[in-house]
Amino acid sequence: MKPLRIAVFGGTFDPVHFGHLRSIQEVQDRMRFDKVFIIPNRRPPHKSDRHPAPFNHRLSMLRLALGRNAVIQVSDIEGRRGGPSFTVETLRQLQASRVGARLFLILGVDSFAEIGTWKRFREVLDDCDIVVMERPGRKERKGASWIPLEVRRLYGYDAAKGVYRNKANKTLALVRVTPFDVSASAVRQAVKEGRSIRFLTPPAVERYIQEHRLYR
Ligand code: ATP
Protein backbone atom coordinates (compact mmCIF):
# COMPACT_ATOMS: atom_id res chain seq x y z
CA MET A 1 0.00 0.00 0.00
CA LYS A 2 1.26 3.48 -0.85
CA PRO A 3 1.96 5.66 2.17
CA LEU A 4 -0.50 8.49 2.83
CA ARG A 5 0.79 11.81 1.52
CA ILE A 6 0.13 14.53 4.07
CA ALA A 7 0.96 18.18 3.53
CA VAL A 8 1.45 20.90 6.11
CA PHE A 9 0.92 24.56 5.27
CA GLY A 10 1.92 26.65 8.26
CA GLY A 11 1.86 30.37 8.90
CA THR A 12 0.52 33.13 11.08
CA PHE A 13 -2.61 33.68 8.97
CA ASP A 14 -3.23 37.06 10.54
CA PRO A 15 -5.64 37.02 8.73
CA VAL A 16 -5.99 34.33 6.08
CA HIS A 17 -6.43 35.83 2.59
CA PHE A 18 -6.98 34.68 -1.00
CA GLY A 19 -3.22 34.59 -1.63
CA HIS A 20 -3.00 31.70 0.87
CA LEU A 21 -6.21 30.04 -0.25
CA ARG A 22 -5.79 30.12 -4.00
CA SER A 23 -2.13 29.06 -3.80
CA ILE A 24 -2.82 26.07 -1.57
CA GLN A 25 -5.71 25.02 -3.79
CA GLU A 26 -3.52 25.10 -6.89
CA VAL A 27 -0.76 23.15 -5.16
CA GLN A 28 -3.33 20.58 -4.09
CA ASP A 29 -4.77 20.34 -7.61
CA ARG A 30 -1.33 19.48 -8.85
CA MET A 31 0.00 17.31 -6.03
CA ARG A 32 -3.16 15.48 -4.96
CA PHE A 33 -2.25 15.04 -1.31
CA ASP A 34 -4.42 12.77 0.78
CA LYS A 35 -4.69 15.51 3.36
CA VAL A 36 -3.52 19.11 3.67
CA PHE A 37 -3.34 20.62 7.15
CA ILE A 38 -3.34 24.39 7.37
CA ILE A 39 -1.65 25.07 10.67
CA PRO A 40 -1.73 28.51 12.26
CA ASN A 41 1.13 29.03 14.70
CA ARG A 42 0.35 29.79 18.30
CA ARG A 43 3.29 32.10 18.64
CA PRO A 44 5.33 32.84 15.53
CA PRO A 45 9.03 32.44 16.42
CA HIS A 46 9.98 34.65 13.46
CA LYS A 47 7.60 37.56 13.78
CA SER A 48 8.27 38.64 17.32
CA ASP A 49 8.28 42.37 16.44
CA ARG A 50 4.50 42.53 16.67
CA HIS A 51 1.81 40.57 18.44
CA PRO A 52 -0.53 38.80 16.06
CA ALA A 53 -4.27 38.58 16.75
CA PRO A 54 -5.04 35.91 19.38
CA PHE A 55 -4.68 32.33 18.15
CA ASN A 56 -8.39 31.58 18.45
CA HIS A 57 -9.36 34.47 16.19
CA ARG A 58 -6.87 33.40 13.53
CA LEU A 59 -8.07 29.80 13.83
CA SER A 60 -11.74 30.82 13.56
CA MET A 61 -11.06 32.90 10.44
CA LEU A 62 -9.29 29.95 8.81
CA ARG A 63 -12.21 27.68 9.63
CA LEU A 64 -14.65 30.18 8.14
CA ALA A 65 -12.49 30.49 5.02
CA LEU A 66 -12.12 26.75 4.44
CA GLY A 67 -15.64 25.66 5.33
CA ARG A 68 -16.16 21.92 5.19
CA ASN A 69 -13.39 20.68 2.99
CA ALA A 70 -12.59 17.01 3.32
CA VAL A 71 -9.00 17.27 2.10
CA ILE A 72 -7.78 20.74 3.07
CA GLN A 73 -8.37 21.11 6.79
CA VAL A 74 -7.43 23.50 9.54
CA SER A 75 -5.47 22.02 12.44
CA ASP A 76 -5.05 23.56 15.89
CA ILE A 77 -2.09 21.33 16.73
CA GLU A 78 0.22 24.30 17.42
CA GLY A 79 -2.40 26.05 19.54
CA ARG A 80 -2.70 23.04 21.80
CA ARG A 81 1.05 22.89 22.31
CA GLY A 82 2.60 25.37 24.73
CA GLY A 83 5.33 27.87 23.87
CA PRO A 84 6.45 29.13 20.49
CA SER A 85 5.55 27.08 17.44
CA PHE A 86 8.46 25.25 15.92
CA THR A 87 7.81 23.39 12.68
CA VAL A 88 10.24 20.61 13.58
CA GLU A 89 8.05 19.73 16.58
CA THR A 90 4.84 19.90 14.58
CA LEU A 91 6.24 17.54 11.96
CA ARG A 92 7.39 15.08 14.64
CA GLN A 93 3.99 15.19 16.29
CA LEU A 94 2.19 14.56 12.99
CA GLN A 95 4.56 11.77 12.04
CA ALA A 96 4.02 10.08 15.41
CA SER A 97 0.26 10.14 14.98
CA ARG A 98 0.43 8.92 11.36
CA VAL A 99 3.18 6.36 11.27
CA GLY A 100 4.37 5.61 7.74
CA ALA A 101 2.87 8.72 6.16
CA ARG A 102 4.98 10.82 3.83
CA LEU A 103 5.02 14.44 5.03
CA PHE A 104 5.30 17.51 2.82
CA LEU A 105 5.85 21.06 3.94
CA ILE A 106 4.39 23.82 1.77
CA LEU A 107 5.61 27.37 2.09
CA GLY A 108 5.97 30.58 0.13
CA VAL A 109 9.34 31.47 -1.31
CA ASP A 110 9.69 34.38 1.17
CA SER A 111 9.26 32.07 4.18
CA PHE A 112 11.54 29.49 2.60
CA ALA A 113 14.28 32.13 2.23
CA GLU A 114 14.42 32.24 6.05
CA ILE A 115 14.36 28.51 6.71
CA GLY A 116 18.06 28.55 7.65
CA THR A 117 17.10 30.53 10.77
CA TRP A 118 14.48 27.98 11.89
CA LYS A 119 15.07 25.84 14.94
CA ARG A 120 16.76 22.55 13.90
CA PHE A 121 16.10 23.33 10.24
CA ARG A 122 18.28 20.47 9.01
CA GLU A 123 15.95 18.06 10.76
CA VAL A 124 13.00 19.73 9.05
CA LEU A 125 14.70 19.14 5.69
CA ASP A 126 15.36 15.49 6.59
CA ASP A 127 11.83 14.92 7.89
CA CYS A 128 9.76 16.06 4.92
CA ASP A 129 9.60 16.91 1.26
CA ILE A 130 9.40 20.62 0.62
CA VAL A 131 7.16 22.42 -1.83
CA VAL A 132 7.95 26.10 -2.29
CA MET A 133 5.35 28.37 -3.88
CA GLU A 134 6.36 31.34 -5.96
CA ARG A 135 5.11 34.62 -4.60
CA PRO A 136 4.65 37.80 -6.62
CA GLY A 137 6.15 41.14 -5.89
CA ARG A 138 9.53 39.66 -5.05
CA LYS A 139 12.51 39.80 -7.31
CA GLU A 140 12.75 37.49 -10.32
CA ARG A 141 14.48 34.23 -9.42
CA LYS A 142 16.83 32.49 -11.80
CA GLY A 143 18.20 28.95 -11.52
CA ALA A 144 18.58 27.90 -7.92
CA SER A 145 18.72 31.45 -6.57
CA TRP A 146 15.46 30.89 -4.66
CA ILE A 147 17.23 28.36 -2.45
CA PRO A 148 19.17 29.86 0.46
CA LEU A 149 22.86 28.90 0.35
CA GLU A 150 22.91 26.93 3.59
CA VAL A 151 20.11 24.78 2.18
CA ARG A 152 21.39 24.58 -1.41
CA ARG A 153 24.56 22.76 -0.38
CA LEU A 154 22.55 19.98 1.24
CA TYR A 155 20.80 19.11 -2.03
CA GLY A 156 21.74 17.79 -5.44
CA TYR A 157 19.64 18.29 -8.56
CA ASP A 158 17.71 15.26 -9.80
CA ALA A 159 17.34 16.19 -13.46
CA ALA A 160 15.15 13.19 -14.28
CA LYS A 161 12.50 14.29 -11.81
CA GLY A 162 13.20 18.03 -12.02
CA VAL A 163 13.56 18.31 -8.24
CA TYR A 164 16.35 18.79 -5.73
CA ARG A 165 17.08 15.86 -3.44
CA ASN A 166 19.04 15.57 -0.17
CA LYS A 167 20.86 12.69 1.55
CA ALA A 168 17.70 11.69 3.40
CA ASN A 169 16.12 11.28 -0.08
CA LYS A 170 13.74 14.17 0.55
CA THR A 171 12.84 16.44 -2.31
CA LEU A 172 12.69 20.20 -2.72
CA ALA A 173 10.72 21.79 -5.54
CA LEU A 174 9.45 25.19 -6.61
CA VAL A 175 5.90 25.34 -7.94
CA ARG A 176 4.30 28.16 -9.83
CA VAL A 177 0.94 29.37 -8.64
CA THR A 178 -1.22 32.14 -10.05
CA PRO A 179 0.42 35.26 -8.65
CA PHE A 180 -1.87 37.05 -6.25
CA ASP A 181 -0.02 39.89 -4.65
CA VAL A 182 -1.83 40.19 -1.36
CA SER A 183 -0.34 39.85 2.11
CA ALA A 184 -1.82 39.69 5.58
CA SER A 185 -0.01 42.94 6.42
CA ALA A 186 -1.71 44.66 3.47
CA VAL A 187 -5.09 43.41 4.70
CA ARG A 188 -4.40 44.65 8.25
CA GLN A 189 -3.20 47.99 6.93
CA ALA A 190 -6.35 48.43 4.85
CA VAL A 191 -8.56 47.72 7.88
CA LYS A 192 -6.56 50.15 9.98
CA GLU A 193 -7.00 52.88 7.38
CA GLY A 194 -10.70 52.13 6.97
CA ARG A 195 -10.31 50.87 3.41
CA SER A 196 -12.26 47.91 2.05
CA ILE A 197 -10.78 44.40 2.15
CA ARG A 198 -13.43 43.01 -0.16
CA PHE A 199 -12.06 40.40 -2.63
CA LEU A 200 -8.86 40.07 -0.61
CA THR A 201 -10.33 37.54 1.78
CA PRO A 202 -13.59 35.55 1.85
CA PRO A 203 -16.74 37.47 2.91
CA ALA A 204 -17.07 35.43 6.12
CA VAL A 205 -13.56 36.45 7.17
CA GLU A 206 -14.30 40.05 6.29
CA ARG A 207 -17.41 39.96 8.51
CA TYR A 208 -15.48 38.28 11.33
CA ILE A 209 -12.85 41.02 11.27
CA GLN A 210 -15.59 43.64 11.43
CA GLU A 211 -17.57 41.94 14.19
CA HIS A 212 -14.52 41.41 16.38
CA ARG A 213 -13.04 44.80 15.56
CA LEU A 214 -9.68 43.27 14.64
CA TYR A 215 -6.73 45.24 13.26
CA ARG A 216 -8.07 48.73 14.06
P1 ATP B 1 2.41 39.03 6.64
O1 ATP B 1 2.02 40.01 5.58
O2 ATP B 1 1.84 39.35 7.99
O3 ATP B 1 3.89 38.76 6.69
P2 ATP B 1 1.64 36.76 4.97
O4 ATP B 1 0.57 37.29 4.08
O5 ATP B 1 3.00 36.55 4.39
O6 ATP B 1 1.72 37.62 6.31
P3 ATP B 1 1.78 34.32 6.49
O7 ATP B 1 0.77 33.81 7.44
O8 ATP B 1 3.05 34.82 7.04
O9 ATP B 1 1.07 35.42 5.56
O10 ATP B 1 2.06 33.23 5.37
C1 ATP B 1 1.87 31.85 5.50
C2 ATP B 1 2.47 31.20 4.27
O11 ATP B 1 1.77 31.61 3.09
C3 ATP B 1 3.93 31.60 4.02
O12 ATP B 1 4.64 30.44 3.61
C4 ATP B 1 3.84 32.63 2.91
O13 ATP B 1 5.00 32.65 2.12
C5 ATP B 1 2.64 32.13 2.11
N1 ATP B 1 1.93 33.22 1.43
C6 ATP B 1 1.39 34.31 1.97
N2 ATP B 1 0.79 35.09 1.07
C7 ATP B 1 0.97 34.48 -0.13
C8 ATP B 1 0.60 34.82 -1.48
N3 ATP B 1 -0.04 35.96 -1.77
N4 ATP B 1 0.95 33.96 -2.47
C9 ATP B 1 1.64 32.81 -2.17
N5 ATP B 1 2.02 32.45 -0.92
C10 ATP B 1 1.70 33.27 0.09
Side-chain angles (χ1 to χ4, degrees):
M1 221 172 63
K2 276 197 154 183
L4 279 186
R5 295 163 76 247
I6 296 178
V8 169
F9 180 35
T12 308
F13 303 105
D14 190 25
V16 61
H17 51 68
F18 282 131
H20 300 127
L21 296 165
R22 182 62 208 171
S23 306
I24 195 67
Q25 183 61 50
E26 289 186 18
V27 171
Q28 170 57 10
D29 289 345
R30 192 162 333 161
M31 309 279 297
R32 306 254 168 227
F33 297 115
D34 294 295
K35 195 67 87 189
V36 177
F37 289 119
I38 302 195
I39 306 188
N41 50 39
R42 178 168 174 270
R43 260 207 280 140
H46 294 282
K47 290 188 180 172
S48 44
D49 46 325
R50 61 168 279 276
H51 287 288
F55 176 80
N56 282 329
H57 281 320
R58 292 181 285 119
L59 181 74
S60 300
M61 290 188 280
L62 273 167
R63 287 190 169 142
L64 288 170
L66 266 308
R68 279 177 201 274
N69 186 309
V71 177
I72 306 181
Q73 292 184 355
V74 185
S75 161
D76 66 352
I77 182 171
E78 293 191 347
R80 282 186 274 118
R81 216 170 51 219
S85 306
F86 295 113
T87 301
V88 67
E89 288 165 9
T90 303
L91 291 169
R92 292 279 154 90
Q93 209 177 327
L94 281 174
Q95 192 74 76
S97 63
R98 288 175 182 76
V99 178
R102 180 171 171 195
L103 296 185
F104 292 76
L105 181 67
I106 304 172
L107 67 182
V109 74
D110 58 314
S111 305
F112 181 63
E114 315 215 310
I115 200 166
T117 66
W118 290 15
K119 186 179 171 189
R120 290 155 54 199
F121 79 94
R122 284 184 190 80
E123 290 173 53
V124 172
L125 303 177
D126 288 348
D127 282 352
C128 63
D129 295 270
I130 300 206
V131 178
V132 179
M133 304 182 295
E134 257 300 8
R135 206 175 157 175
R138 328 279 143 153
K139 58 180 185 301
E140 181 63 28
R141 273 162 259 268
K142 295 207 177 74
S145 65
W146 55 278
I147 311 177
L149 277 185
E150 63 273 39
V151 174
R152 178 69 188 88
R153 53 192 176 76
L154 302 173
Y155 287 79
Y157 189 63
D158 177 346
K161 294 268 165 64
V163 294
Y164 293 85
R165 201 178 288 283
N166 68 8
K167 284 210 175 90
N169 204 23
K170 299 294 186 203
T171 62
L172 165 64
L174 182 70
V175 297
R176 303 219 174 269
V177 291
T178 306
F180 189 36
D181 198 3
V182 58
S183 64
S185 3
V187 174
R188 294 193 302 270
Q189 190 64 27
V191 174
K192 199 171 158 195
E193 292 172 7
R195 286 181 284 118
S196 164
I197 56 168
R198 205 167 165 223
F199 307 129
L200 294 180
T201 191
V205 173
E206 212 185 316
R207 277 195 299 275
Y208 189 97
I209 291 172
Q210 248 169 23
E211 276 162 22
H212 295 269
R213 306 178 64 83
L214 301 180
Y215 312 126
R216 297 204 171 183

